[in-house]
Amino acid sequence: MSATLLSSWAQTVRTAPNAVALIDATMDRAWTRADLDALGRAWQAQHGADLARRTVVLTEPNGVEWWRVFLGLLHAGAVIAPLDAGEPIAA
């Protein structure tokens, strides 16, 4: 599934790379699809060498960092399990 999701993301970026993809009002900043893709690729280049087919739990809070790590993991070929770090364990 990661390959399908990554292919869809790549097509979305190619279609409109300069479209705004994320706005963070607290930082007064916006990122385009191309910006997020570049952040993900940079994360993958730095951290993703041995993550292909490995399950990785993603607990980043929502925001640009979540997208950077999520896209980096996709580019690395990891199996991503996003979890809400604030959710009680019993849930």
Side-chain angles (χ1 to χ4, degrees), residues 46-70:
Q46 186 174 9
H47 304 288
D50 297 324
L51 295 176
R53 296 179 303 280
R54 294 187 62 189
T55 301
V56 178
V57 174
L58 174 58
T59 60
E60 289 291 333
N62 289 336
V64 69
E65 187 64 13
W66 188 96
W67 280 102
R68 183 177 83 92
V69 176
F70 179 77

Side-chain angles (χ1 to χ4, degrees), residues 1 5 9 11 16 20 24 38 45-47 49 59 63 69 74 82 84 88 90:
M1 177 165 132
L5 184 56
W9 170 250
Q11 179 61 36
V20 173
D24 186 336
Q46 186 174 9
H47 304 288
T59 60
V69 176
L74 279 182
D84 181 352

Side-chain angles (χ1 to χ4, degrees), residues 19-30:
V20 173
L22 179 68
I23 299 171
D24 186 336
T26 64
M27 297 176 68
D28 194 29
R29 175 98 197 312

Side-chain angles (χ1 to χ4, degrees), residues 2-3 10 13 18 29 32 37-38 67-68 71 74 78-80 85 89:
S2 291
V13 173
N18 295 320
R29 175 98 197 312
T32 66
D37 194 58
W67 280 102
R68 183 177 83 92
L71 292 169
L74 279 182
V79 177
I80 307 163
I89 293 174

